[in-house]
Amino acid sequence: SSDVCSSDLQEIEVKLIESQERFYSIIYSRNKFEIDRIRVSLDKTEESYRSAFKELEEVQAKLSDLARGSTRQEVFNELQAKHSEATRNLNELEKQAVILEGQLKTEYSQRGEQSVGWLTGKIDDLKKASRFLAISEFSRNEGIDKLRLEETQVINVSTATEPLFQPVNIARGAADQLREKFNITRPYVLYTGGADERKNLPRLIQAFAALPSELRQKYQLLFAGKMPEGNIAELERNAKRAGLKSGELCFTGYVSDEELVQLYNLCELYVFPSWHEGFGLPALEAMACGAPVIGSNASSLPEVIGLDDALFDPMDVESIRNRMHQALTDLSFRDRKSTRLNSSHQIISYAVFCL
């Protein structure tokens, strides 16, 4: 067997993560459109079901009133017929709901089985290699543990950002155009990346909602990058349940590399709440652009951020909230973090390019 090159290993790691995401959140897989169509049909069926049930209750109430009175027999018979029709409609809708639910479960099962089979095949391929390159010390240790490898077989090579991620001067007109395009109406707290479960976005929303009202009125929470519509809808429901008002949480949709660099440069704070990463490149990109960064104390992120007092417990909403509050209100804290985090980014980048 031969050594696995860095690009191959990174590609394998990305595909492994993508496969796990498809397995645990299959509704957003390659067949998302078909599954969403089934779910919409199911929702419509349930809505019709509730409407028919309400009609049935109204007819039953009228029948009870008529049965006690001396109303003409033909009126009673007409309502009795409506009652029978409503009952038939209700039974038919129940059948449709069962069929649609079964289709949805079948999609979950089939896609899940395919993902597990694909993942198992990749793991078998990995076992044929004699050396592995990891992108963080956390990933290295995880590979040693999960794949039962010898410590000498796995080398941490880390990673670095593209040169375009750096502090830039943005003309006022360009900044105004960017804000207008993405409905940014005030300074913002930024997150970039995916929306799968490990990214921990519901807790970030809850933590932002727990900030004092004066801070929420001053800042927006901005999620940058393309996300599935189903994820966006669920996150908006989370925001509503947490008490966020319209405009406090914004989604940019797809952003170009140039726009992403501008968003990093213009943000008041970058927050990365993920509880599991192989490396955590978005945090490093934000640091490279000079943004104040706080993040999770889990998996590889402490290696990337490099400062204990810029970290929080990703499973504790209050911990996230407190660190955000400190970063948004303590200017000396923000300045200190920006300077030291940028130094950490330079150290990581230097170490990678010297390999």
Side-chain angles (χ1 to χ4, degrees):
S1 58
S2 60
D3 291 0
V4 179
C5 70
S6 177
S7 60
D8 288 342
L9 189 73
Q10 289 186 25
E11 180 181 358
I12 290 171
E13 181 167 358
V14 169
K15 288 182 178 180
L16 283 172
I17 292 173
E18 290 176 349
S19 181
Q20 290 171 328
E21 292 172 3
R22 284 197 298 271
F23 179 68
Y24 291 112
S25 188
I26 196 62
I27 197 170
Y28 308 118
S29 68
R30 292 170 296 177
N31 287 340
K32 174 184 175 298
F33 177 80
E34 179 62 21
I35 297 176
D36 282 353
R37 183 190 64 78
I38 294 173
R39 184 172 292 281
V40 169
S41 297
L42 182 58
D43 289 342
K44 289 181 179 178
T45 300
E46 290 177 346
E47 183 178 350
S48 299
Y49 181 97
R50 289 193 294 271
S51 177
F53 188 78
K54 183 178 180 181
E55 180 182 351
L56 179 59
E57 288 182 326
E58 291 173 353
V59 172
Q60 287 175 327
K62 290 180 180 179
L63 283 173
S64 297
D65 292 340
L66 289 170
R68 291 192 296 269
S70 56
T71 310
R72 291 180 306 167
Q73 183 67 37
E74 55 267 26
V75 176
F76 181 86
N77 291 341
E78 180 181 351
L79 288 174
Q80 184 69 54
K82 289 184 177 180
H83 174 273
S84 299
E85 182 181 0
T87 302
R88 286 194 299 272
N89 289 339
L90 192 60
N91 291 335
E92 182 61 29
L93 289 170
E94 285 178 326
K95 292 178 182 178
Q96 292 180 23
V98 171
I99 292 172
L100 289 170
E101 187 68 31
Q103 291 177 351
L104 189 60
K105 289 180 179 179
T106 298
E107 289 289 345
Y108 277 123
S109 177
Q110 291 176 348
R111 296 297 103 202
E113 290 174 359
Q114 291 177 10
S115 295
V116 171
W118 184 89
L119 179 60
T120 301
K122 283 297 178 183
I123 292 175
D124 289 340
D125 289 340
L126 286 173
K127 291 178 179 179
K128 299 175 184 178
S130 60
R131 292 292 185 275
F132 299 84
L133 305 182
I135 58 175
S136 68
E137 192 63 22
F138 171 79
S139 294
R140 175 180 179 273
N141 291 332
E142 193 173 42
I144 292 170
D145 179 50
K146 302 301 181 183
L147 298 177
R148 299 179 181 178
L149 301 170
E150 297 294 331
E151 291 193 4
T152 54
Q153 287 183 272
V154 189
I155 303 168
N156 173 22
V157 297
S158 192
T159 189
T161 60
E162 296 289 338
L164 64 95
F165 292 101
Q166 60 180 307
V168 294
N169 293 321
I170 304 172
R172 183 171 182 176
D176 289 343
Q177 288 180 353
L178 187 76
R179 293 187 183 98
E180 182 178 0
K181 178 177 180 179
F182 297 127
N183 297 315
I184 301 171
T185 59
R186 50 189 185 268
Y188 57 91
V189 175
L190 179 65
Y191 163 80
T192 60
D196 48 290
E197 183 181 355
R198 67 192 171 93
K199 299 300 184 179
N200 203 30
L201 299 186
R203 288 191 181 91
L204 175 56
I205 291 172
Q206 293 167 28
F208 185 81
L211 290 171
S213 58
E214 59 269 21
L215 280 181
R216 284 172 47 187
Q217 291 171 8
K218 184 177 180 180
Y219 299 103
Q220 287 177 293
L221 180 59
L222 184 67
F223 288 173
K226 187 176 181 180
M227 295 181 179
E229 290 299 322
N231 285 113
I232 293 176
E234 180 59 31
L235 291 171
E236 287 177 335
R237 286 191 288 270
N238 272 277
K240 186 176 181 180
R241 286 194 294 266
L244 292 185
K245 299 177 182 178
S246 176
E248 290 191 90
L249 172 63
C250 294
F251 298 86
T252 66
Y254 170 80
V255 296
S256 66
D257 286 345
E258 181 182 1
E259 290 169 336
L260 181 58
V261 170
Q262 292 176 333
L263 288 171
Y264 281 137
N265 273 267
L266 292 172
C267 74
E268 292 294 315
L269 176 67
Y270 181 81
V271 184
F272 203 55
S274 175
W275 46 260
H276 189 279
E277 293 291 328
F279 182 80
L281 194 58
L284 191 63
E285 291 173 349
M287 291 158 55
C289 291
V293 176
I294 61 174
S296 162
N297 63 6
S299 64
S300 60
L301 290 177
E303 298 176 53
V304 177
I305 296 175
L307 296 170
D308 289 342
D309 52 357
L311 304 175
F312 52 73
D313 180 353
M315 298 304 178
D316 186 345
V317 171
E318 185 176 1
S319 177
I320 304 173
R321 178 262 181 207
N322 290 342
R323 190 64 77 199
M324 271 200 294
H325 184 275
Q326 183 180 22
L328 291 171
T329 58
D330 186 342
L331 293 180
S332 63
F333 177 89
R334 288 163 51 81
D335 292 341
R336 188 166 65 253
K337 294 298 164 291
S338 293
T339 301
R340 293 176 63 193
L341 288 171
N342 194 47
S343 298
S344 297
H345 156 256
Q346 292 173 353
I347 291 171
I348 291 175
S349 298
Y350 180 79
V352 171
F353 289 124
C354 284
L355 287 175

